[in-house]
Amino acid sequence: DRRGVILARSSEADRFVGKRLPGFDDLHDGSGVWSGINLHGVPVFGVYRRSAETGFVVAVGVEQAALDSPVLR
């Protein structure tokens, strides 16, 4: 939502819905990229977009290891 509270998740929704998105306070623009540590404690790279109408933010994160693995092969 517009305060950084997680409203939905693709996995373990019962565990994380209602908690605050880590790094939310660093998302200042209407859209962008970010990197940080997710709620599992795993380094991630993500993208986000903020709705101009509602202020809600949609964010998607991918484990950094998954992005790095093709480079490391």
Side-chain angles (χ1 to χ4, degrees), residues 42-68:
V42 176
V44 294
F45 175 82
V47 297
Y48 72 93
R49 174 104 178 149
R50 183 182 307 273
S51 168
E53 295 169 5
T54 65
F56 279 35
V57 172
V58 174
V60 177
V62 177
E63 289 186 17
Q64 190 66 50
L67 296 173
D68 293 341

PDB file of all heavy atoms in Angstrom, residues 42-68:
ATOM      1  N   VAL A  42      17.429 -12.626   2.381  1.00  0.00           N
ATOM      2  CA  VAL A  42      18.155 -12.945   1.163  1.00  0.00           C
ATOM      3  C   VAL A  42      18.379 -11.676   0.340  1.00  0.00           C
ATOM      4  O   VAL A  42      17.444 -10.889   0.155  1.00  0.00           O
ATOM      5  CB  VAL A  42      17.347 -13.981   0.331  1.00  0.00           C
ATOM      6  CG1 VAL A  42      18.009 -14.277  -0.997  1.00  0.00           C
ATOM      7  CG2 VAL A  42      17.140 -15.247   1.131  1.00  0.00           C
ATOM      8  N   PRO A  43      19.608 -11.465  -0.175  1.00  0.00           N
ATOM      9  CA  PRO A  43      19.844 -10.311  -1.046  1.00  0.00           C
ATOM     10  C   PRO A  43      19.008 -10.410  -2.323  1.00  0.00           C
ATOM     11  O   PRO A  43      18.939 -11.471  -2.952  1.00  0.00           O
ATOM     12  CB  PRO A  43      21.331 -10.401  -1.379  1.00  0.00           C
ATOM     13  CG  PRO A  43      21.921 -11.234  -0.296  1.00  0.00           C
ATOM     14  CD  PRO A  43      20.845 -12.212   0.090  1.00  0.00           C
ATOM     15  N   VAL A  44      18.345  -9.307  -2.693  1.00  0.00           N
ATOM     16  CA  VAL A  44      17.485  -9.279  -3.878  1.00  0.00           C
ATOM     17  C   VAL A  44      17.736  -8.018  -4.694  1.00  0.00           C
ATOM     18  O   VAL A  44      18.250  -7.015  -4.198  1.00  0.00           O
ATOM     19  CB  VAL A  44      15.989  -9.330  -3.496  1.00  0.00           C
ATOM     20  CG1 VAL A  44      15.626 -10.650  -2.866  1.00  0.00           C
ATOM     21  CG2 VAL A  44      15.611  -8.180  -2.593  1.00  0.00           C
ATOM     22  N   PHE A  45      17.349  -8.098  -5.963  1.00  0.00           N
ATOM     23  CA  PHE A  45      17.296  -6.958  -6.864  1.00  0.00           C
ATOM     24  C   PHE A  45      15.843  -6.819  -7.265  1.00  0.00           C
ATOM     25  O   PHE A  45      15.185  -7.813  -7.571  1.00  0.00           O
ATOM     26  CB  PHE A  45      18.165  -7.193  -8.107  1.00  0.00           C
ATOM     27  CG  PHE A  45      18.048  -6.095  -9.121  1.00  0.00           C
ATOM     28  CD1 PHE A  45      18.781  -4.929  -8.982  1.00  0.00           C
ATOM     29  CD2 PHE A  45      17.190  -6.222 -10.195  1.00  0.00           C
ATOM     30  CE1 PHE A  45      18.655  -3.904  -9.902  1.00  0.00           C
ATOM     31  CE2 PHE A  45      17.063  -5.200 -11.126  1.00  0.00           C
ATOM     32  CZ  PHE A  45      17.806  -4.039 -10.979  1.00  0.00           C
ATOM     33  N   GLY A  46      15.323  -5.605  -7.256  1.00  0.00           N
ATOM     34  CA  GLY A  46      13.904  -5.456  -7.557  1.00  0.00           C
ATOM     35  C   GLY A  46      13.593  -4.222  -8.372  1.00  0.00           C
ATOM     36  O   GLY A  46      14.437  -3.356  -8.595  1.00  0.00           O
ATOM     37  N   VAL A  47      12.362  -4.194  -8.826  1.00  0.00           N
ATOM     38  CA  VAL A  47      11.809  -3.039  -9.533  1.00  0.00           C
ATOM     39  C   VAL A  47      10.498  -2.670  -8.847  1.00  0.00           C
ATOM     40  O   VAL A  47       9.850  -3.517  -8.241  1.00  0.00           O
ATOM     41  CB  VAL A  47      11.566  -3.328 -11.031  1.00  0.00           C
ATOM     42  CG1 VAL A  47      12.874  -3.620 -11.734  1.00  0.00           C
ATOM     43  CG2 VAL A  47      10.605  -4.482 -11.230  1.00  0.00           C
ATOM     44  N   TYR A  48      10.142  -1.408  -8.944  1.00  0.00           N
ATOM     45  CA  TYR A  48       8.882  -0.974  -8.337  1.00  0.00           C
ATOM     46  C   TYR A  48       8.244   0.112  -9.173  1.00  0.00           C
ATOM     47  O   TYR A  48       8.878   0.768  -9.977  1.00  0.00           O
ATOM     48  CB  TYR A  48       9.113  -0.470  -6.904  1.00  0.00           C
ATOM     49  CG  TYR A  48       9.819   0.863  -6.837  1.00  0.00           C
ATOM     50  CD1 TYR A  48       9.094   2.044  -6.769  1.00  0.00           C
ATOM     51  CD2 TYR A  48      11.202   0.943  -6.849  1.00  0.00           C
ATOM     52  CE1 TYR A  48       9.731   3.271  -6.714  1.00  0.00           C
ATOM     53  CE2 TYR A  48      11.857   2.163  -6.788  1.00  0.00           C
ATOM     54  CZ  TYR A  48      11.114   3.314  -6.725  1.00  0.00           C
ATOM     55  OH  TYR A  48      11.750   4.526  -6.691  1.00  0.00           O
ATOM     56  N   ARG A  49       6.958   0.277  -8.951  1.00  0.00           N
ATOM     57  CA  ARG A  49       6.187   1.341  -9.611  1.00  0.00           C
ATOM     58  C   ARG A  49       5.146   1.832  -8.613  1.00  0.00           C
ATOM     59  O   ARG A  49       4.432   1.035  -8.005  1.00  0.00           O
ATOM     60  CB  ARG A  49       5.517   0.791 -10.862  1.00  0.00           C
ATOM     61  CG  ARG A  49       4.592   1.750 -11.541  1.00  0.00           C
ATOM     62  CD  ARG A  49       5.237   2.286 -12.754  1.00  0.00           C
ATOM     63  NE  ARG A  49       4.302   3.179 -13.443  1.00  0.00           N
ATOM     64  CZ  ARG A  49       4.710   4.199 -14.137  1.00  0.00           C
ATOM     65  NH1 ARG A  49       5.979   4.423 -14.288  1.00  0.00           N
ATOM     66  NH2 ARG A  49       3.852   4.970 -14.723  1.00  0.00           N
ATOM     67  N   ARG A  50       5.040   3.134  -8.465  1.00  0.00           N
ATOM     68  CA  ARG A  50       4.057   3.734  -7.568  1.00  0.00           C
ATOM     69  C   ARG A  50       2.909   4.295  -8.402  1.00  0.00           C
ATOM     70  O   ARG A  50       3.135   5.010  -9.373  1.00  0.00           O
ATOM     71  CB  ARG A  50       4.705   4.853  -6.768  1.00  0.00           C
ATOM     72  CG  ARG A  50       3.795   5.497  -5.749  1.00  0.00           C
ATOM     73  CD  ARG A  50       4.479   6.634  -5.018  1.00  0.00           C
ATOM     74  NE  ARG A  50       5.749   6.272  -4.435  1.00  0.00           N
ATOM     75  CZ  ARG A  50       5.908   5.730  -3.221  1.00  0.00           C
ATOM     76  NH1 ARG A  50       4.847   5.489  -2.482  1.00  0.00           N
ATOM     77  NH2 ARG A  50       7.100   5.439  -2.765  1.00  0.00           N
ATOM     78  N   SER A  51       1.689   4.009  -8.017  1.00  0.00           N
ATOM     79  CA  SER A  51       0.519   4.541  -8.702  1.00  0.00           C
ATOM     80  C   SER A  51       0.369   6.023  -8.392  1.00  0.00           C
ATOM     81  O   SER A  51       0.333   6.420  -7.216  1.00  0.00           O
ATOM     82  CB  SER A  51      -0.741   3.802  -8.255  1.00  0.00           C
ATOM     83  OG  SER A  51      -1.895   4.481  -8.702  1.00  0.00           O
ATOM     84  N   ALA A  52       0.270   6.835  -9.436  1.00  0.00           N
ATOM     85  CA  ALA A  52       0.054   8.275  -9.252  1.00  0.00           C
ATOM     86  C   ALA A  52      -1.329   8.553  -8.672  1.00  0.00           C
ATOM     87  O   ALA A  52      -1.546   9.571  -8.021  1.00  0.00           O
ATOM     88  CB  ALA A  52       0.225   8.999 -10.586  1.00  0.00           C
ATOM     89  N   GLU A  53      -2.275   7.643  -8.892  1.00  0.00           N
ATOM     90  CA  GLU A  53      -3.652   7.843  -8.432  1.00  0.00           C
ATOM     91  C   GLU A  53      -3.860   7.442  -6.981  1.00  0.00           C
ATOM     92  O   GLU A  53      -4.588   8.103  -6.245  1.00  0.00           O
ATOM     93  CB  GLU A  53      -4.609   7.081  -9.339  1.00  0.00           C
ATOM     94  CG  GLU A  53      -4.598   7.629 -10.755  1.00  0.00           C
ATOM     95  CD  GLU A  53      -5.340   6.730 -11.726  1.00  0.00           C
ATOM     96  OE1 GLU A  53      -5.943   5.727 -11.302  1.00  0.00           O
ATOM     97  OE2 GLU A  53      -5.284   7.039 -12.919  1.00  0.00           O
ATOM     98  N   THR A  54      -3.240   6.332  -6.559  1.00  0.00           N
ATOM     99  CA  THR A  54      -3.496   5.826  -5.207  1.00  0.00           C
ATOM    100  C   THR A  54      -2.294   5.939  -4.272  1.00  0.00           C
ATOM    101  O   THR A  54      -2.469   5.861  -3.060  1.00  0.00           O
ATOM    102  CB  THR A  54      -3.898   4.338  -5.250  1.00  0.00           C
ATOM    103  OG1 THR A  54      -2.787   3.575  -5.724  1.00  0.00           O
ATOM    104  CG2 THR A  54      -5.111   4.121  -6.136  1.00  0.00           C
ATOM    105  N   GLY A  55      -1.098   6.056  -4.844  1.00  0.00           N
ATOM    106  CA  GLY A  55       0.114   6.047  -4.030  1.00  0.00           C
ATOM    107  C   GLY A  55       0.588   4.655  -3.683  1.00  0.00           C
ATOM    108  O   GLY A  55       1.648   4.474  -3.098  1.00  0.00           O
ATOM    109  N   PHE A  56      -0.204   3.623  -4.045  1.00  0.00           N
ATOM    110  CA  PHE A  56       0.192   2.246  -3.777  1.00  0.00           C
ATOM    111  C   PHE A  56       1.422   1.905  -4.603  1.00  0.00           C
ATOM    112  O   PHE A  56       1.610   2.408  -5.703  1.00  0.00           O
ATOM    113  CB  PHE A  56      -0.931   1.277  -4.129  1.00  0.00           C
ATOM    114  CG  PHE A  56      -1.998   1.168  -3.064  1.00  0.00           C
ATOM    115  CD1 PHE A  56      -2.379   2.251  -2.297  1.00  0.00           C
ATOM    116  CD2 PHE A  56      -2.622  -0.039  -2.847  1.00  0.00           C
ATOM    117  CE1 PHE A  56      -3.360   2.142  -1.333  1.00  0.00           C
ATOM    118  CE2 PHE A  56      -3.612  -0.157  -1.887  1.00  0.00           C
ATOM    119  CZ  PHE A  56      -3.976   0.925  -1.127  1.00  0.00           C
ATOM    120  N   VAL A  57       2.254   1.015  -4.070  1.00  0.00           N
ATOM    121  CA  VAL A  57       3.476   0.577  -4.741  1.00  0.00           C
ATOM    122  C   VAL A  57       3.373  -0.909  -5.053  1.00  0.00           C
ATOM    123  O   VAL A  57       2.960  -1.699  -4.210  1.00  0.00           O
ATOM    124  CB  VAL A  57       4.714   0.821  -3.845  1.00  0.00           C
ATOM    125  CG1 VAL A  57       5.956   0.203  -4.447  1.00  0.00           C
ATOM    126  CG2 VAL A  57       4.908   2.298  -3.609  1.00  0.00           C
ATOM    127  N   VAL A  58       3.754  -1.266  -6.281  1.00  0.00           N
ATOM    128  CA  VAL A  58       3.897  -2.667  -6.672  1.00  0.00           C
ATOM    129  C   VAL A  58       5.393  -2.910  -6.826  1.00  0.00           C
ATOM    130  O   VAL A  58       6.080  -2.154  -7.517  1.00  0.00           O
ATOM    131  CB  VAL A  58       3.171  -2.968  -8.000  1.00  0.00           C
ATOM    132  CG1 VAL A  58       3.446  -4.386  -8.451  1.00  0.00           C
ATOM    133  CG2 VAL A  58       1.679  -2.729  -7.849  1.00  0.00           C
ATOM    134  N   ALA A  59       5.895  -3.934  -6.167  1.00  0.00           N
ATOM    135  CA  ALA A  59       7.322  -4.241  -6.221  1.00  0.00           C
ATOM    136  C   ALA A  59       7.522  -5.727  -6.503  1.00  0.00           C
ATOM    137  O   ALA A  59       6.741  -6.561  -6.039  1.00  0.00           O
ATOM    138  CB  ALA A  59       7.996  -3.879  -4.910  1.00  0.00           C
ATOM    139  N   VAL A  60       8.561  -6.016  -7.272  1.00  0.00           N
ATOM    140  CA  VAL A  60       8.931  -7.403  -7.576  1.00  0.00           C
ATOM    141  C   VAL A  60      10.420  -7.539  -7.316  1.00  0.00           C
ATOM    142  O   VAL A  60      11.212  -6.720  -7.792  1.00  0.00           O
ATOM    143  CB  VAL A  60       8.625  -7.755  -9.045  1.00  0.00           C
ATOM    144  CG1 VAL A  60       9.076  -9.167  -9.360  1.00  0.00           C
ATOM    145  CG2 VAL A  60       7.154  -7.574  -9.344  1.00  0.00           C
ATOM    146  N   GLY A  61      10.790  -8.560  -6.565  1.00  0.00           N
ATOM    147  CA  GLY A  61      12.201  -8.799  -6.267  1.00  0.00           C
ATOM    148  C   GLY A  61      12.629 -10.168  -6.742  1.00  0.00           C
ATOM    149  O   GLY A  61      11.854 -11.122  -6.689  1.00  0.00           O
ATOM    150  N   VAL A  62      13.879 -10.249  -7.199  1.00  0.00           N
ATOM    151  CA  VAL A  62      14.470 -11.509  -7.647  1.00  0.00           C
ATOM    152  C   VAL A  62      15.748 -11.720  -6.838  1.00  0.00           C
ATOM    153  O   VAL A  62      16.534 -10.774  -6.653  1.00  0.00           O
ATOM    154  CB  VAL A  62      14.804 -11.455  -9.151  1.00  0.00           C
ATOM    155  CG1 VAL A  62      15.484 -12.738  -9.607  1.00  0.00           C
ATOM    156  CG2 VAL A  62      13.562 -11.196  -9.968  1.00  0.00           C
ATOM    157  N   GLU A  63      15.965 -12.943  -6.383  1.00  0.00           N
ATOM    158  CA  GLU A  63      17.181 -13.217  -5.625  1.00  0.00           C
ATOM    159  C   GLU A  63      18.401 -12.854  -6.452  1.00  0.00           C
ATOM    160  O   GLU A  63      18.517 -13.234  -7.615  1.00  0.00           O
ATOM    161  CB  GLU A  63      17.243 -14.684  -5.214  1.00  0.00           C
ATOM    162  CG  GLU A  63      16.246 -15.043  -4.146  1.00  0.00           C
ATOM    163  CD  GLU A  63      16.415 -16.468  -3.643  1.00  0.00           C
ATOM    164  OE1 GLU A  63      17.485 -17.077  -3.865  1.00  0.00           O
ATOM    165  OE2 GLU A  63      15.467 -16.965  -3.027  1.00  0.00           O
ATOM    166  N   GLN A  64      19.318 -12.115  -5.843  1.00  0.00           N
ATOM    167  CA  GLN A  64      20.518 -11.685  -6.535  1.00  0.00           C
ATOM    168  C   GLN A  64      21.324 -12.888  -7.036  1.00  0.00           C
ATOM    169  O   GLN A  64      21.902 -12.844  -8.124  1.00  0.00           O
ATOM    170  CB  GLN A  64      21.376 -10.823  -5.604  1.00  0.00           C
ATOM    171  CG  GLN A  64      22.519 -10.142  -6.294  1.00  0.00           C
ATOM    172  CD  GLN A  64      22.065  -9.097  -7.303  1.00  0.00           C
ATOM    173  OE1 GLN A  64      21.246  -8.238  -6.980  1.00  0.00           O
ATOM    174  NE2 GLN A  64      22.578  -9.144  -8.489  1.00  0.00           N
ATOM    175  N   ALA A  65      21.339 -13.977  -6.290  1.00  0.00           N
ATOM    176  CA  ALA A  65      22.071 -15.173  -6.700  1.00  0.00           C
ATOM    177  C   ALA A  65      21.535 -15.741  -8.000  1.00  0.00           C
ATOM    178  O   ALA A  65      22.294 -16.239  -8.846  1.00  0.00           O
ATOM    179  CB  ALA A  65      22.006 -16.241  -5.596  1.00  0.00           C
ATOM    180  N   ALA A  66      20.222 -15.662  -8.207  1.00  0.00           N
ATOM    181  CA  ALA A  66      19.618 -16.148  -9.454  1.00  0.00           C
ATOM    182  C   ALA A  66      20.053 -15.292 -10.626  1.00  0.00           C
ATOM    183  O   ALA A  66      20.244 -15.797 -11.734  1.00  0.00           O
ATOM    184  CB  ALA A  66      18.107 -16.172  -9.340  1.00  0.00           C
ATOM    185  N   LEU A  67      20.220 -14.001 -10.404  1.00  0.00           N
ATOM    186  CA  LEU A  67      20.659 -13.109 -11.478  1.00  0.00           C
ATOM    187  C   LEU A  67      22.144 -13.274 -11.766  1.00  0.00           C
ATOM    188  O   LEU A  67      22.582 -13.148 -12.898  1.00  0.00           O
ATOM    189  CB  LEU A  67      20.366 -11.653 -11.107  1.00  0.00           C
ATOM    190  CG  LEU A  67      18.902 -11.291 -10.964  1.00  0.00           C
ATOM    191  CD1 LEU A  67      18.766  -9.877 -10.429  1.00  0.00           C
ATOM    192  CD2 LEU A  67      18.172 -11.446 -12.274  1.00  0.00           C
ATOM    193  N   ASP A  68      22.921 -13.545 -10.734  1.00  0.00           N
ATOM    194  CA  ASP A  68      24.372 -13.676 -10.882  1.00  0.00           C
ATOM    195  C   ASP A  68      24.812 -15.028 -11.418  1.00  0.00           C
ATOM    196  O   ASP A  68      25.866 -15.125 -12.021  1.00  0.00           O
ATOM    197  CB  ASP A  68      25.062 -13.437  -9.555  1.00  0.00           C
ATOM    198  CG  ASP A  68      24.933 -12.015  -9.066  1.00  0.00           C
ATOM    199  OD1 ASP A  68      24.638 -11.130  -9.890  1.00  0.00           O
ATOM    200  OD2 ASP A  68      25.136 -11.788  -7.850  1.00  0.00           O
TER     201      ASP A  68
END
